[in-house]
Amino acid sequence: MFLYCGIACRRKFFWCYRPLSTYVTKTRYLFELKEDDDACKKAQQTGVFYLFHGLAPLLQTSAHQYLAPRHSLLELERLLGKFGQDAQRIEDSVLIGCSEQQEAWFALDLGLDSSFSISASLHKPEMETELKGSFIELRKALFQLNARDASMLSTAQALLRWHDAHQFCSRSGQPTKKNVAGSKRVCPSNNIIYYPQMAPVVITLVSDGTRCLLARQSSFPKGMYSALAGFCDIGESVEETIRREVAEEVGLEVESLQYYASQHWPFPSGSLMIACHATVKPGQTEIQVNLRELETAAWFSHDEVATALKRKGSYTQQQNGTFPFWLPPKLAISHQLIKEWVEKQTCSSLPA
Ligand SMILES: NC(=O)C1=CN([C@@H]2O[C@H](COP(=O)(O)OP(=O)(O)OC[C@H]3O[C@@H](n4cnc5c(N)ncnc54)[C@H](OP(=O)(O)O)[C@@H]3O)[C@@H](O)[C@H]2O)C=CC1
Ligand SMILES: [Mg+2]
């Protein structure tokens, strides 16, 4: 793409003569839409909308997958008109991204309370029939979405939830007003700006050199184990959270740790999962499970984990009454973290 920095030429720190890559152009465009309400309103004219109802995304079934349908502004206005709603409701929508061709993507929840509508919640079954889809809880649908839709709908849900929960200023009690993109809310009485928040969570795969430690919470599906996870406490670094969580949950001391990757996670209400590998001190591998946090935890060998990675999620009880040992699905960062550990172990065991 041979665009120059024209879109942001008013900002002198962006000025340059080098052609911008498609990625940089797209990023600068999104930045502009967040900063400039008029530009964002204009982008709605040519943009597309993903619909939600009570934070459940509108989905259509295709083969064994869910697809997230998109609607133009015109289609959305027609739909709202059909259900006796004011088109002003579109002002509740939030910007969630854009294509490389600068088609802006928005999300709108038709089931949450709105200042633009007397009866906020549009009738769900009628709307599903009209839209030829169903509003399905993200928790149920996430693993049957392609990676792009999963990521976009997770972002959209977290942002819509945040706006729904921050309608009022916590200082003045007055209603807050969102900017068009939904990247912030402002209290008109004192100009306090509220920005969307997410909770940092560490997810740690502890190893003793040959085995890795996996755990279960009682709320997990039967048979599923995962790496240790925990919310960062205020004032903590990622390293401190990892050390504390491992000590709290399984009674072990971390000797070293290594950052792996991160992932936005929509549950419980928008978290930033920070995934790391950790090792424990040699000879100090005796697990003491904190039963207030975990149902159980255990060391697993490379072969056990490698076999479980190939197994698809299954709740089917075996004849002996137990459930097969399986791991979180591919989309979850815990799966990728465990997979990387298996691959590293495999490489290190190969003859030189
Ligand atoms: N993407 C992935 O691969 C994985 C993601 N996860 C996610 O990580 C999250 C954290 O793991 P988990 O082991 O439950 O965490 P913790 O070990 O920190 O325990 C959860 C408890 O911490 C308390 N808590 C502290 N701060 C928060 C906060 N900001 N939001 C909610 N609860 C808080 C709550 O206690 P109380 O209810 O008593 O107040 C909650 O029940 C999970 O919610 C899960 O969605 C977990 C594993 C894999
Ligand atoms: Mg935990």
Side-chain angles (χ1 to χ4, degrees), residues 50-286:
Y50 292 86
L51 299 179
F52 284 72
H53 194 289
L55 298 175
L58 176 74
L59 297 173
Q60 290 170 343
T61 314
S62 160
H64 296 295
Q65 266 215 323
Y66 284 124
L67 295 176
R70 301 134 54 98
H71 295 84
S72 69
L73 184 67
L74 263 176
E75 287 169 333
L76 193 52
E77 284 170 346
R78 204 175 308 130
L79 180 84
L80 288 169
K82 188 162 182 172
F83 285 87
Q85 296 290 309
D86 196 324
Q88 250 198 311
R89 195 181 175 119
I90 294 166
E91 290 182 26
D92 289 335
S93 61
V94 293
L95 176 71
I96 53 169
C98 81
S99 71
E100 292 187 347
Q101 292 73 37
Q102 301 190 352
E103 173 196 64
W105 304 328
F106 297 90
L108 176 65
D109 197 304
L110 299 164
L112 296 176
D113 281 337
S114 166
S115 51
F116 299 115
S117 157
I118 305 153
S119 160
S121 175
L122 295 176
H123 205 241
K124 196 169 138 192
E126 290 166 17
M127 185 148 286
E128 288 177 326
T129 310
E130 179 69 24
L131 293 166
K132 300 183 179 63
S134 308
F135 294 105
I136 300 173
E137 261 184 67
L138 194 55
R139 221 174 244 284
K140 288 186 187 150
L142 192 67
F143 300 113
Q144 285 169 65
L145 287 164
N146 64 47
R148 196 198 72 153
D149 281 357
S151 158
M152 203 160 45
L153 295 180
S154 298
T155 304
Q157 194 207 46
L159 200 50
L160 291 167
R161 179 188 278 114
W162 181 83
H163 279 283
D164 186 47
H166 292 79
Q167 303 275 318
F168 296 93
C169 174
S170 57
R171 178 66 59 81
S172 68
Q174 296 297 309
T176 53
K177 192 174 177 331
K178 80 182 242 312
N179 66 341
V180 176
S183 56
K184 60 186 168 190
R185 300 189 75 90
V186 181
C187 173
S189 73
N190 55 23
N191 290 325
I192 294 180
I193 305 173
Y194 293 91
Y195 293 100
Q197 291 161 345
M198 57 183 175
V201 174
V202 296
I203 175 135
T204 313
L205 187 63
V206 175
S207 166
D208 69 351
T210 54
R211 301 171 298 172
C212 75
L213 196 158
L214 298 168
R216 275 187 51 74
Q217 291 181 17
S218 52
S219 58
F220 284 6
K222 300 280 182 208
M224 192 189 89
Y225 282 70
S226 187
L228 300 176
F231 289 92
C232 294
D233 278 352
I234 217 137
E236 270 183 341
S237 65
V238 167
E239 293 84 344
E240 285 166 340
T241 308
I242 290 174
R243 293 207 155 86
R244 176 181 54 75
E245 280 291 334
V246 173
E248 251 176 42
E249 297 197 347
V250 291
L252 295 174
E253 271 194 61
V254 166
E255 185 179 52
S256 67
L257 52 92
Q258 191 191 15
Y259 172 78
Y260 166 61
S262 66
Q263 175 188 56
H264 171 258
W265 191 242
F267 315 119
S269 56
S271 303
L272 174 65
M273 304 296 305
I274 304 156
C276 293
H277 292 285
T279 54
V280 286
K281 294 187 175 166
Q284 295 184 20
T285 54
E286 193 191 326

Side-chain angles (χ1 to χ4, degrees), residues 203 205 226-227 263 275 309 328-329 331-339:
I203 175 135
L205 187 63
S226 187
Q263 175 188 56
L309 271 178
L331 194 73
I333 200 161
S334 45
H335 179 102
Q336 296 154 31
L337 183 69
I338 296 165
K339 186 163 172 264

